[in-house]
Amino acid sequence: MTAVDFEPGDAAGEQVPGVDCLFDKVKLGPNRLSNRLVMAPMTRNRAEPDGTPGALAAEYYSQRAGLGLIITESTQPSENGQGYMTTPGIYTDAHVAGWRRVTDAVHDRGGRIVIQLAHAGRMSHPDNTPHGRPGLAPSPVGPGTGIFTPSGMQPIPTPLEMSDDQVRAVVEEFRHAARRAIKAGADGVEIHGGTGYLIHQFLGVSSNYRTDDWGGAIERRARFAVEVARSVSAEIGAERTGIRLSPGANIFGIDEGVEAEALYQHLVVELDHLNLGYLHITQFGEDAVVRALRRLWGGAFILNRPGRPREAIGSDVESGLADFEAYGQLVLANPDFERRLREGAPFNDADRATFYGGGAAGYVDYPRLPD
């Protein structure tokens, strides 16, 4: 896929000047989307203990089916991939059945949904995982931060350094999880390559001290991301595969180094050769970096600017910098986000105390506009 096809001015309803560009009906790969708004992936920690999406997940996601595309919360491809408590998986039959309830509910309301595949790597604790083992990482160096566990906040222990065979095994885990996601009815998958998780750990100079084929020069540090994308796209089709990157996100002890800009440019060029469905960038660094990556990318481009003010919504699509704009907390707190935006209605405020864990409160009970 080299671009998105669209029908301008095809959305129903009165539109507010400045955001009308977001309401084109758009074809993204094999999927026809109702607009250019994307629900960004957000961890909610409400899965069952075995990693099956919780009973309310179908309601939560289907409430937000009015957005053009939903990207789910981070979903581990294997036991080794789990980092936090009560996050969902997509590697067992029970997981597939749970996600099938979610995708069916979204499709019943006319939405499209992709499952984000994320391996936590060193962002893990043995008490949070089914097998009780430390996390796997490119190198045996921890992030220097804590993590919530069943017994409260604990420091993250030093991870286990991955052997070459283990690196290749994780690539296979992503491939297997992608196949499971499609079996669960997902319209595609997004590979999580940012914000401190395993792929990002391979990219960082402070988290990857390897001297083999998976570390050192920027080409080798980028290799794991490329191999995961290659494997997933070969399994389910490039048009159903997206990837999320977060250049400039020096978080959880990750330093991308002085070659960061060159690293991401190399990585995006290599990913572009795979003709993936889309590239999703979470903007943390300089705008010049985002613009450079946009020029190098031939396909659909999703841009998420955390904390974007309301008056700037639509500006990146209008300028041509992005094909889609992704939103997190605004969508979390406003299940009818696209309607409120289109009509100029006020937004609900997000309740941070209910972001992670719990039940219906702060999950499926945010008010909608009256009919």
Side-chain angles (χ1 to χ4, degrees):
M1 189 183 76
T2 57
V4 290
D5 301 318
F6 67 96
E7 300 174 12
D10 201 22
E14 193 68 27
Q15 296 175 17
V16 175
V19 302
D20 57 330
C21 60
L22 297 173
F23 291 94
D24 302 325
K25 289 184 178 179
V26 187
K27 192 169 183 287
L28 177 61
N31 299 308
R32 186 173 177 81
L33 311 184
S34 59
N35 52 64
R36 297 176 182 269
L37 294 167
V38 175
M39 177 177 174
M42 291 175 284
T43 294
R44 303 306 308 274
N45 299 98
R46 284 171 166 85
E48 301 298 332
D50 70 346
T52 300
L56 294 174
E59 183 177 356
Y60 168 70
Y61 283 112
S62 65
Q63 285 177 347
R64 291 152 179 81
L67 278 83
L69 182 66
I70 290 171
I71 305 171
T72 74
E73 61 208 282
S74 297
T75 302
Q76 54 259 16
S78 65
E79 290 183 341
N80 285 329
Q82 183 164 3
Y84 297 92
M85 296 187 298
T86 57
T87 53
I90 186 63
Y91 56 91
T92 72
D93 290 344
H95 298 159
V96 171
W99 278 115
R100 170 61 76 171
R101 289 189 289 271
V102 173
T103 61
D104 284 350
V106 170
H107 291 153
D108 286 346
R109 294 193 179 183
R112 293 291 177 264
I113 181 169
V114 300
I115 293 177
Q116 189 193 64
L117 305 180
H119 192 299
R122 71 183 190 176
M123 295 302 298
S124 182
H125 192 282
D127 291 355
N128 291 347
T129 63
H131 47 46
R133 294 201 296 266
L136 298 176
S139 299
V141 54
T145 188
I147 191 170
F148 279 104
T149 72
S151 58
M153 182 69 78
Q154 295 191 52
I156 293 177
T158 300
L160 303 176
E161 182 175 42
M162 300 168 71
S163 68
D164 182 79
D165 286 345
Q166 286 175 316
V167 174
R168 297 177 189 277
V170 172
V171 173
E172 281 298 296
E173 289 172 0
F174 272 96
R175 182 187 63 78
H176 176 263
R179 184 172 72 246
R180 288 276 190 161
I182 299 304
K183 185 177 180 180
D187 298 296
V189 303
E190 176 178 283
I191 300 163
H192 191 352
T195 56
Y197 277 47
L198 184 60
I199 290 175
H200 197 198
Q201 292 161 29
F202 271 91
L203 299 177
V205 294
S206 61
S207 49
N208 183 353
Y209 298 161
R210 303 176 76 99
T211 57
D212 61 1
D213 291 340
W214 307 99
I218 60 173
E219 295 82 4
R220 296 199 296 273
R221 281 188 279 134
R223 183 185 175 196
F224 180 65
V226 175
E227 291 303 315
V228 169
R230 191 191 316 278
S231 180
V232 168
S233 61
E235 182 67 29
I236 66 170
E239 73 281 1
R240 295 186 184 276
T241 305
I243 189 167
R244 186 190 198 199
L245 304 174
S246 56
N250 291 339
I251 58 176
F252 301 126
I254 292 182
D255 181 354
E256 297 170 331
V258 296
E259 298 178 306
E261 187 171 348
L263 167 69
Y264 278 101
Q265 290 184 12
H266 167 79
L267 175 56
V268 166
V269 168
E270 291 300 306
L271 294 170
D272 188 59
H273 292 331
L274 301 177
N275 296 313
L276 303 182
Y278 67 80
L279 174 64
H280 180 185
I281 295 292
T282 304
Q283 192 264 350
F284 285 97
E286 299 294 328
D287 244 27
V289 174
V290 176
R291 295 180 184 281
L293 299 182
R294 171 57 157 161
R295 288 192 295 270
L296 294 170
W297 183 254
F301 194 88
I302 300 173
L303 184 55
N304 178 9
R305 293 183 186 269
R308 183 198 298 260
R310 182 166 187 155
E311 61 270 19
I313 293 176
S315 60
D316 285 323
V317 167
E318 188 172 33
S319 71
L321 180 59
D323 298 302
F324 302 87
E325 293 179 6
Y327 293 89
Q329 290 185 28
L330 284 174
V331 175
L332 181 155
N334 297 275
D336 54 352
F337 172 70
E338 77 294 337
R339 181 184 170 191
R340 290 173 184 267
L341 185 61
R342 187 174 62 238
E343 297 180 6
F347 291 144
N348 300 320
D349 292 327
D351 178 12
R352 297 188 65 87
T354 59
F355 278 3
Y356 307 112
Y363 192 47
V364 297
D365 63 347
Y366 280 103
R368 304 174 67 92
L369 292 173
D371 293 331

